[in-house]
Structure formats: C-alpha cells, structure tokens
C-alpha cells in the first residue's frame, strides 16, 4: 500500500524546537526556534505571524521578529501577559512548541523600494517591524532615506537596545529613540514618539511609513504623518485582534469588513482609517 | 558685551518669531540677553520666581521634576529652537519645573517682567506673543496628554487579548 501524501492543513501545528530563549526586558522573552524534523519550513515575509501552540495551554498569534534571511529558524519576541504567553515565556531550550503559519499580509518592503521610509514603533511594536528593517538593511541601496523612530515608556522598557545602538552606529538608517519619562542618565529624548517627526526634513510625496505598536500609538502616529502630507495609502499599520483560526473561518478577528488574520495584519491606512474612528470596532 | 542689535538679529532668526514686526522685535530685544550654561547648571528651578524664559540656540535641556524616592525625572527634553519657561506669562509667576542643561547650552534669555510691562503697554505685542506661546503650549499639552495615555502600555493588544 502506497503511503498517502500528507495533505497540507493550515490547522495542523508543526513541531518546532526551542534553540534559545532570552529575556529582552522583564516579562518579555525572545525565542529562536527551528523545525523539529517534520519537514516544515521556516520561510515568512516581514510582518507575517504564526499561531504558536504551547501544548497544554493553547495558541497565540505572534509576529516574527527575526531576520527573514536566516533560513531554517524563526525568532519571536513575546510579552508574558496571559496564560499562554506566560507558558511560552517559560519554555526551556530544547522544549517543543507547535507552529502554524505563516499567516497574513506583509510589510510592503518590496513595493516601497526607491522611496524614503519612516518606520515608527512603539514599545514591543518594534518586534514585528524588525524583519522589515533587516530586509531594508540588506537592500539598503534600494531605498531613499530610512528612519526608525522608536518610542517607549522608560529607558529600561526599550526592546532590542543593543541592536538599536548598532544600527545607530552603522548609520545606514537614522535611529531616533524617545521615552515618556527618564532619569538624568538617559542620553536620549523624552516625549511621545510623534515628537520625533518634528523638525524632520520629510518629502511627503516620496515617503512611505510603516507603523506598529498599540493601536492608540498607531492612530496618533498616522495622523501626525497625514498632517505632514504623507498620503494615507503610503502609511501602513499592523493591526491586532484576538485571532484564533488564522484562516478566515472563526471570525474572532473580524475588524469591520476585514479579517485581520487574512486581510491583515498589515493594512494601508486608507483601508482602515474609517475603522480607527469607530469606537466599537 | 552683546548689543541690543545682536539680540534683535537672533530673535529675528528664531522661527518662533516668524512674522513678528521689526518694531516688536526691537522692543523685545530690549528685554533680552545671551545666556550660557554648562552641563548640570539649571536654567530654571521649580518654585522660583518665573522672571525669565529661554529660547534655546544650541544644546539640550531637560525639563524635570524631582520625584520622591525616584529622584529627578525628565518629562521633556528640548533642543535648539525650543523654548523653556511659560510661567512668566501667568500669575503667580513661579516656575513649575526644573530646566537643566544636559550639555553646553546657549540661549537667549528674555526677562518676563520686562516683557509683561511692554505687552501691557502695547497690546498688539502682547497678542503676537500670546498667539505664539499658545501654539507652543497647545503642542506641549497634546504631547503631555499622549504621554499620560501611556500609549505603549502592555505591548501589543493581541498578546493581552489572545493569551
């Protein structure tokens, strides 16, 4: 009897082994995982997410935070805020988790080549943007001016601080960081992330923006960019809702006429601006 | 010794005073002087009489408040082109925050009492000043409100919502 070819099912989690898990900031861990020998791949596009299954606890949608050029492994950065993410953050190296994906839309890093790019991140929102930054750094000559504007609550809550310092040192992109409050030892800026747009020489006609963070941060950031003349279709945001199936079936992540899991998570702002103004959505 | 003419020129170059008449700039220059601060020196101290405001020409200034058990915390940082000190405009004319030089700072110091007197005597000057300060205060108020909203709290909403 011939073995039946296994049908691909987006609902079927594949085993991935944890190679490394490291604390970014208190309560926030970065995991590197690789396929655990069942033939599943690790390819993804910047901005896409996987459903991560912590056996015995449940599934959570987590965007990839690692380098898309690193084949054979995936990196996720997770804040321990609920029962599943707490269990995920407690997995030890060598432990096995289940992954489904990748799912969803991606940052349009290919479409915005030749343009100036403003990447705006708030808090842990830098994690889903990081793959797009890697991609732009690899193809640096294909883009105009690239600026990363990052806002956090306090200096000690900044994620990937070493990488931010390295990027600033390399000077391939302009890195500007601000926090809401800081002691005197903080050498950077203090204020909300939209303040970093002030005084910047922005050509709105040739600027695209990628924004990720809590929704209120994305809203203020998108409006600040609109005020500067950047067109809504050139502003991209990454939306999040309570995703369960990730394949447009369960409806848990419905966002107006969209399903975040399949139509998003990355949307151009002109598609979702109307929804940002509806309080009940 | 810096002449009034030089202060006038520096005020005219500052975008804060864009559109201000030569006459008003000349009047204001009579209330101004150049000021320099070394790192660690205070431009303004919380609770002191608000008799001066500063237009920062170069350097970085921290707007701070001393928090018990936490020490001084910055709530804003201001660089070249920024302004610190609004309390000279309104009674009781006392500073609400510290302004600390983080680097070598060059600024134009404007005497608030002098300006208040001139604005009372020339309401058009007062209006022009108030209009500009109102815009800066609105920007600062909106930024402060966003800081109060704690817009980065709890990471991404999906993490909290999904588990």
């Amino acid at each position: 009897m011939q073995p039946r070819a296994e049908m691909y099912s987006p609902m079927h989690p594949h085993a991935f082994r944890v190679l490394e898990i490291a604390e970014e900031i208190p309560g926030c861990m970065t995991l590197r995982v690789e396929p655990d020998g069942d033939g599943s791949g690790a390819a993804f596009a910047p901005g896409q997410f996987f459903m991560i299954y912590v056996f015995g606890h449940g599934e959570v949608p987590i965007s990839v935070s690692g380098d898309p050029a690193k084949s054979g492994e995936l990196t996720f950065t997770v804040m321990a805020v609920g029962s599943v993410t707490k269990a995920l953050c407690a997995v030890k190296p060598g432990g096995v988790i289940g992954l489904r994906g990748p799912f969803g839309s991606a940052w349009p890093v290919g479409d915005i080549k030749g343009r100036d790019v403003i990447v705006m991140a708030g808090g842990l929102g830098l994690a889903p943007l990081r793959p797009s930054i890697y991609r732009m750094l690899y193809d640096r000559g294909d883009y105009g001016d690239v600026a990363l504007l990052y806002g956090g609550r306090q200096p000690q809550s900044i994620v990937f601080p070493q990488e931010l310092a390295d990027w600033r040192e390399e000077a391939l992109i302009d890195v500007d960081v601000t926090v809401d409050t800081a002691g005197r030892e903080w050498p950077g800026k203090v204020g909300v992330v939209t303040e970093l747009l002030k005084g910047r020489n922005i050509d709105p006609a040739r600027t695209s923006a990628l924004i990720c963070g809590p929704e209120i941060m994305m809203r203020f950031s998108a409006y600040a960019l609109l005020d500067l003349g950047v067109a809504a279709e050139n502003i991209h945001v990454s939306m999040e809702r309570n995703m369960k199936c990730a394949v447009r079936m369960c409806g848990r992540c419905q966002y107006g006429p969209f399903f975040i899991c399949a139509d998003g998570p990355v949307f151009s702002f002109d598609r979702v601006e109307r929804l940002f103004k509806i309080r009940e959505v | 010794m810096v002449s009034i003419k030089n202060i006038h020129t520096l005020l005219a170059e500052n975008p804060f005073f864009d559109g201000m008449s030569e006459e008003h700039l000349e009047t204001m220059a009579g209330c101004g002087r150049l000021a320099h601060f070394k790192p660690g020196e205070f431009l303004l101290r919380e609770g002191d009489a608000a008799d001066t405001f500063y237009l920062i020409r170069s350097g970085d200034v921290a707007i701070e408040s001393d928090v018990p058990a936490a020490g001084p915390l910055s709530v804003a940082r201001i660089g070249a082109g920024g302004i610190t000190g609004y309390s000279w405009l309104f009674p009781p004319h006392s500073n609400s925050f510290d302004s600390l030089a983080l680097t070598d700072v060059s600024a134009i110091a404007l005497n608030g009492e002098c300006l208040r007197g001139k604005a009372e005597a020339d309401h058009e000057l007062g209006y022009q000043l108030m209009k500009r300060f109102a815009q800066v205060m609105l920007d600062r108020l909106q930024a402060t409100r966003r800081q109060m909203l704690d817009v980065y709290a709890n990471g991404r909403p999906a993490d909290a919502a999904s588990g």
Side-chain angles (χ1 to χ4, degrees):
Chain A
M1 185 175 170
Q2 291 288 321
R4 194 172 63 175
E6 185 183 355
M7 286 181 63
Y8 169 75
S9 167
M11 301 304 288
H12 174 199
H14 293 269
F16 276 67
R17 189 165 296 279
V18 176
L19 297 170
E20 182 185 22
I21 180 163
E23 187 177 67
E24 289 293 338
I25 54 174
C28 176
M29 310 293 280
T30 291
L31 303 90
R32 280 196 309 118
V33 302
E34 66 175 2
D36 193 33
D38 69 351
S40 54
F44 70 99
Q48 287 192 301
F49 70 95
F50 281 78
M51 295 301 296
I52 299 183
Y53 190 4
V54 187
F55 302 117
H57 292 274
E59 271 192 323
V60 280
I62 304 289
S63 298
V64 187
S65 65
D67 186 346
K70 278 192 178 174
S71 60
E73 69 174 55
L74 291 166
T75 300
F76 300 96
T77 302
V78 184
M79 184 72 82
V81 291
S83 61
V84 183
T85 47
K86 282 176 182 166
L88 180 57
C89 288
V91 173
K92 304 292 183 208
V96 175
I97 57 175
L99 259 68
R100 294 191 292 123
F103 296 115
S105 58
W107 298 111
V109 285
D111 297 338
I112 60 177
K113 283 184 177 178
R115 295 175 60 79
D116 296 338
V117 182
I118 293 177
V119 179
M120 294 184 78
L124 193 55
L126 180 56
L129 282 164
R130 203 164 67 140
S132 69
I133 297 169
Y134 287 130
R135 182 62 61 80
M136 286 188 278
L137 285 170
Y138 280 126
D139 298 329
R140 185 63 190 88
D142 292 346
Y143 299 88
D145 294 336
V146 178
L148 167 61
L149 313 182
Y150 178 56
R153 299 169 89 179
Q154 296 142 352
Q156 57 269 34
S157 66
I158 290 172
V159 291
F160 315 124
Q162 187 55 52
E163 208 153 34
L164 289 168
D166 291 345
W167 289 338
R168 181 179 283 131
E169 180 78 18
E170 291 163 6
L172 293 173
I173 59 174
D174 179 15
V175 178
D176 210 355
V177 180
T178 186
V179 294
D180 278 349
T181 55
R184 284 183 189 160
E185 70 287 353
W186 168 243
K189 295 178 179 172
V190 177
V192 289
V193 68
T194 48
E195 294 290 296
L196 300 180
L197 288 168
K198 290 183 178 168
R200 236 163 225 291
N201 187 19
I202 292 172
D203 179 351
R206 56 171 284 129
T207 297
S208 289
L210 315 179
I211 311 174
C212 190
E215 201 164 310
I216 188 167
M217 170 264 165
M218 293 195 291
R219 192 172 85 207
F220 287 135
S221 300
Y223 287 148
L225 286 161
L226 289 175
D227 286 346
L228 291 171
V230 180
E233 62 263 30
N234 293 325
I235 299 170
H236 304 271
V237 295
S238 178
M239 303 302 298
E240 291 276 3
R241 284 295 183 272
N242 187 3
M243 292 183 270
K244 283 294 176 191
C245 74
V247 290
R248 204 197 288 271
M249 284 173 60
C250 73
R252 290 284 291 273
C253 66
Q254 186 167 0
Y255 182 57
F258 304 117
F259 290 104
I260 301 269
C261 67
D263 302 311
V266 176
F267 293 92
S268 59
F269 194 61
D270 59 320
R271 297 179 73 202
V272 293
E273 182 179 7
R274 183 181 64 84
L275 298 171
F276 268 70
K277 295 173 181 170
I278 302 174
R279 290 164 193 258
E280 292 80 10
V281 175
Chain B
M1 182 85 182
V2 176
S3 69
I4 288 174
K5 170 88 171 163
N6 282 344
I7 295 285
H8 179 139
T9 303
L10 292 171
L11 291 177
E13 288 169 359
N14 193 304
F16 183 71
F17 294 114
D18 277 352
M20 198 83 134
S21 72
E22 288 295 314
E23 180 191 348
H24 285 152
L25 287 172
E26 190 65 33
T27 303
M28 289 177 43
C31 298
R33 62 181 167 82
L34 286 185
H36 301 278
F37 299 89
K38 300 252 179 246
E41 290 183 341
F42 286 92
L43 287 73
L44 303 169
R45 293 306 305 258
E46 180 179 337
D48 283 358
D51 51 12
T52 308
F53 77 92
Y54 294 93
L55 301 169
I56 309 302
R57 298 176 57 217
S58 64
D60 294 316
V61 175
I63 311 301
E64 292 186 344
S65 194
D66 199 66
V67 179
L73 285 181
S74 291
V75 293
R77 296 226 170 139
I78 292 169
I83 290 174
T84 184
Y86 308 117
S87 301
W88 67 276
L89 274 165
F90 306 105
H93 306 300
S94 68
N95 295 318
S96 302
F97 290 92
D98 292 334
S99 294
L100 173 75
L102 296 171
T103 61
D104 285 314
V105 169
S106 291
I108 303 170
L110 286 149
N111 184 296
E113 191 174 355
C114 170
L115 271 185
R116 282 199 303 269
K118 293 189 175 181
E120 285 293 345
D122 178 351
H123 285 185
E124 175 60 21
L125 171 65
Y127 172 71
Q128 291 295 336
L129 275 175
M130 194 63 82
K131 192 165 70 169
R132 287 164 174 76
F133 270 98
Q135 182 62 56
V136 173
M137 285 192 286
L138 175 66
D139 290 345
R140 197 71 65 82
L141 174 64
Q142 289 176 340
T144 303
R145 282 178 169 169
R146 286 173 189 168
Q147 280 171 273
M148 289 173 67
L149 284 170
D150 197 9
V151 296
Y152 317 115
N154 295 324
R156 300 278 286 153
D159 293 336
S162 303

